Amino acid sequence: MAQIELNGVGLSYFTLKQETEALRDVRMTVEAGEFISIVGPSGCGKSTLLSLISGMMKPTRGTVAIDGTEVSGTSPKVGYMLQHDHLFEWRDVLSNLLVGAEVRKMDLRKARQRARELMGRYGLGDFAHHNPTQLSGGMRQRVALIRTLVTEPDILLLDEPFSALDYQTRLLLQDEIYRIIKDQGKTAILVTHDISEAISMADRVLVMSRRPGTISAVYPVRLGEGKGLTPWQKREAAGYHAYFNAIWRELGGHVHTVG
Ligand code: ADP
């Protein structure tokens, strides 16, 4: 049984005046521990898809299931990482790491212990009592990921988590976040408009078509298999450019031409 399963999923937004069909007949499965990237043109429904998997929204048609049970609301099994880190500037790093645990009413003593372990393991051990303003953009995103990991989700939904960062930081952080997610054995779904990021981080890339969004192509990524390559190394691997070109063309098929 797949960990995540979407069957014939459709989603329409309704306002008083109109219906916007954002997603149509989306079918996908994700296995436990898999890393999936989703690329597609802006407005094709990528964020909407993540909201459906997280249980924040209900599909208009079809079903979303996690571990064989239909999703009917938000679940502690699912954690989110967003483009903006949403750290509280008046709380220090350790205290920020406990926000999710507080909201979920978890045992705070245990959560603090877990937060300290994760900070130590992932290079934030000396920053427990720094404020977010004292950290670089890349470090802030690492704090945001660890804050999610403190709540012990099985599945991480990453909505453009690197897009607000400068190019160099983005490349370095992709390697770091990838290492943390693999090390923790989490399932991840990354939404991005960056083809190179999608290929270098994922086991499979799903390409979405223009609205109403649906999955138009799936690319299992096989780069240096068994060698445990980092995203950085995958970009250098033989075969990388073939994936890039294929996905570029697939996306290009959905770009409007003028004239
Ligand atoms: P993406 O993440 O791929 O950019 P979204 O999931 O944010 O796309 O949006 C998909 C489509 O649904 C877009 O056309 C967007 O304008 C529309 N949409 C998103 N949220 C709402 C909303 N709350 N009400 C009406 N339309 C919406």
Side-chain angles (χ1 to χ4, degrees):
M1 181 182 60
Q3 188 177 36
I4 305 171
E5 185 159 3
L6 275 70
N7 248 316
V9 166
L11 188 285
S12 293
Y13 289 102
F14 293 96
T15 60
L16 283 178
K17 286 199 180 138
Q18 63 176 15
E19 171 184 352
T20 306
E21 190 183 5
L23 294 172
R24 181 185 290 178
D25 196 23
V26 175
R27 287 164 201 279
M28 61 184 265
T29 55
V30 183
E31 302 298 326
E34 216 183 350
F35 200 128
I36 299 286
S37 294
I38 302 180
V39 287
S42 164
C44 75
K46 301 183 293 299
S47 299
T48 303
L49 192 58
L50 292 191
S51 300
L52 291 171
I53 295 170
S54 75
M56 286 191 294
M57 280 169 43
K58 271 176 82 78
T60 317
R61 293 162 294 278
T63 55
V64 179
I66 294 181
D67 295 329
T69 305
E70 193 168 334
V71 171
S72 59
T74 57
S75 150
K77 286 184 180 177
V78 181
Y80 243 109
M81 185 176 173
L82 303 164
Q83 181 177 345
H84 297 290
D85 54 52
H86 298 287
L87 298 180
F88 294 121
E89 306 298 343
W90 66 90
R91 285 180 155 213
D92 67 17
V93 167
L94 179 59
S95 157
N96 264 292
L97 290 178
L98 297 175
V99 169
E102 287 169 13
V103 171
R104 295 224 155 120
K105 301 199 172 13
M106 293 169 71
D107 178 336
L108 284 186
R109 202 179 52 83
K110 277 199 194 140
R112 191 171 295 111
Q113 196 180 342
R114 183 163 160 74
R116 285 199 179 276
E117 269 168 32
L118 290 166
M119 273 194 298
R121 187 168 183 136
Y122 300 124
L124 290 167
D126 294 336
F127 297 90
H129 300 299
H130 282 57
N131 279 349
T133 43
Q134 296 170 282
L135 306 182
S136 67
M139 283 174 88
R140 292 177 64 117
Q141 279 301 55
R142 247 189 297 156
V143 173
L145 175 64
I146 292 173
R147 177 184 55 192
T148 305
L149 292 175
V150 169
T151 65
E152 303 193 71
D154 300 329
I155 299 164
L156 293 167
L157 305 179
L158 313 171
D159 198 349
E160 304 255 10
F162 309 108
S163 58
L165 302 167
D166 65 77
Y167 186 64
Q168 273 168 309
T169 306
R170 183 192 293 207
L171 291 184
L172 291 172
L173 195 68
Q174 283 167 1
D175 270 20
E176 286 173 4
I177 297 290
Y178 178 82
R179 179 172 71 90
I180 297 172
I181 290 174
K182 286 294 177 192
D183 187 37
Q184 295 285 318
K186 304 294 180 193
T187 308
I189 304 182
L190 167 73
V191 155
T192 178
H193 57 261
D194 180 335
I195 301 175
S196 144
E197 180 175 299
I199 299 166
S200 61
M201 293 194 77
D203 302 310
R204 255 187 315 147
V205 179
L206 274 45
V207 181
M208 287 181 67
S209 67
R210 209 163 259 291
R211 187 170 69 78
T214 197
I215 292 164
S216 63
V218 178
Y219 295 88
V221 181
R222 309 258 182 271
L223 290 172
E225 262 188 301
K227 291 193 191 150
L229 299 188
T230 63
W232 186 288
Q233 291 165 331
K234 285 194 210 170
R235 279 191 216 93
E236 305 284 313
Y240 166 82
H241 287 288
Y243 286 113
F244 190 98
N245 290 337
I247 294 170
W248 175 267
R249 273 198 300 274
E250 178 69 27
L251 284 168
H254 304 289
V255 172
H256 283 303
T257 46
V258 179

